[in-house]
Structure formats: C-alpha cells, structure tokens
C-alpha cells in the first residue's frame, strides 16, 4: 500500500508541475519574454464601408487565452496595403472587454502613439500602437476601436497587420494576422435606386 501512496504523490506532483508550467511565460536566457499561447485576432470590422466616408470606426477584436502565460501590454496595428494611407485620430482610440457590439466594460488605454516598428516581415513601418495601463490579463477578449479621420479615398481591400506585445523591456512581439477591411465606391454598390 505504501508504493501506491508514493505513486499517487508523484502523479499529483506531475499534474501540478504541468499546470504551473503551461501557465508560465516563456523566458529565454537573454531575458526575452514570449507568450506561451499567443493571442488571436478574431475579427476586424468597419462601421462604414463607403470610400471617403466620415465617421467610420474600425474595430479589432483580440482574444488572449487563459494559458497565454503573459498579460497583453500593447498592440501595434500596421496598414499593410491599399491605394490610400488611412490616418487616425489617436486621442479618440478606445478599448473595451468583449467582442465588437457586446459593449463590455471599458479598458484603460495608457497611450496611443504612431511609431516606426518592424512589421511581421521585419521591415520598418509606421504603426498605430495602443498601450494598456494596466496590461490586459489572460483569459480576456478585447476590442480596440480606432477612429479614422475618414475612410480611404480609393476603394478596395485594405489589410491591417496586428501584433501583440507582452509586458517587459525585452519581449518577442507576436504577429496575430491581418484584419481585412473592404471599402466600396458609389459605383460598386449592388443596389441601385434609379
């Protein structure tokens, strides 16, 4: 019976070790911190899809898994392509818990800046950077609301790359993918009123 107790103790210790290990962040010898399980870009939505429209909002929804190992400190959003450069009102940027349209609790945005950062391929590009204060803990879904000065003048598909950063001075940014927004000219609308 003594061997059974010892075996149970080792099994319990292994389960606790695995549970603790999967929740811990990955940190390299040089101090660089990684997400254990990276966040996911769930969706990107534009409230108005007409080219040159005023008053539109762009929503990017990110899910931070329970087992991410780290909180979410900041997001960088890069315009990847498009015939026109979208300019944003940085001071009007907002963040909420939950999905787009869920009207969750507001999150505190510490700073919103325009910075030159490496994109997903390592090329320096201009990015809109949203910093959370305090960082968003694991297990949360977050929606960022960006306020463009107006939609792009030229219709087409515009891709916005999204990169997540854990807290710390030495971190490995995690590229989450592209949010795809499609803008139409007046001639593209499928319904005619004449």
């Amino acid at each position: 019976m003594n061997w059974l107790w010892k075996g149970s103790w080792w099994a319990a210790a292994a389960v606790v070790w695995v549970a603790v290990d999967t929740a811990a962040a990955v940190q390299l010898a040089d101090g660089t911190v990684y997400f254990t399980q990276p966040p996911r870009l769930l969706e990107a939505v534009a409230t108005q899809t007409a080219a040159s429209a005023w008053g539109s909002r762009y929503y990017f929804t990110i899910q931070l898994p329970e087992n991410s190992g780290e909180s979410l400190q900041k997001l960088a959003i890069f315009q990847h392509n498009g015939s026109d450069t979208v300019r944003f009102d940085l001071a009007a940027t907002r963040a909420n818990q939950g999905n787009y349209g869920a009207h969750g609790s507001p999150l505190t945005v510490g700073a919103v800046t325009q910075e030159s950062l490496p994109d997903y391929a390592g090329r320096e590009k201009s990015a809109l950077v949203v910093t959370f204060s305090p960082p968003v803990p694991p297990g949360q879904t977050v929606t960022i609301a960006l306020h463009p000065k107006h939609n792009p003048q030229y219709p087409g598909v515009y891709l916005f790359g999204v990169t997540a950063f854990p807290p710390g001075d030495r971190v490995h940014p995690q590229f989450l993918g592209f949010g795809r927004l499609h803008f139409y000219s007046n001639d593209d609308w499928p319904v005619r009123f004449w």
Side-chain angles (χ1 to χ4, degrees):
M1 191 61 129
N2 194 17
W3 63 270
L4 182 59
W5 181 85
K6 287 181 182 176
S8 299
W9 183 85
W10 283 108
V15 169
V16 168
W17 177 81
V18 169
V20 169
D21 188 51
T22 58
V26 175
Q27 186 170 11
L28 302 181
D30 68 357
T32 303
V33 176
Y34 286 74
F35 289 109
T36 304
Q37 179 68 33
R40 289 180 45 215
L41 174 62
L42 298 180
E43 68 178 337
V45 176
T47 58
Q48 296 188 38
T49 58
S52 298
W54 294 80
S56 186
R57 303 292 178 259
Y58 302 168
Y59 294 95
F60 294 85
T61 302
I62 292 88
Q63 180 185 50
L64 186 61
E66 285 282 347
N67 62 344
S68 65
E70 281 293 328
S71 297
L72 175 63
Q73 179 69 68
K74 64 183 179 178
L75 288 171
I77 300 174
F78 302 85
Q79 182 177 338
H80 177 68
N81 73 335
S83 303
D84 194 6
T85 301
V86 179
R87 304 209 187 290
F88 294 96
D89 179 358
L90 303 182
T93 302
R94 301 288 179 261
N96 289 317
Q97 290 180 344
N99 294 320
Y100 163 70
H103 305 292
S105 301
L107 296 171
T108 304
V109 174
V112 180
T113 57
Q114 198 77 36
E115 299 177 25
S116 181
L117 294 172
D119 69 359
Y120 70 97
R123 299 173 296 222
E124 288 290 318
K125 281 193 140 184
S126 179
L128 185 147
V129 180
V130 179
T131 303
F132 298 102
S133 180
V136 178
Q140 301 279 331
T141 298
V142 176
T143 298
I144 304 291
L146 302 181
H147 297 248
K149 301 205 181 225
H150 57 81
N151 280 350
Q153 178 181 357
Y154 303 106
V157 174
Y158 287 72
L159 298 177
F160 293 87
V162 180
T163 301
F165 295 79
D169 295 327
R170 291 190 68 126
V171 299
H172 178 77
Q174 179 67 49
F175 178 67
L176 307 183
F178 292 105
R180 181 181 187 272
L181 301 178
H182 196 158
F183 301 101
Y184 302 90
S185 73
N186 290 333
D187 296 335
D188 292 337
W189 292 104
V191 178
R192 304 264 187 222
F193 296 103
W194 59 90

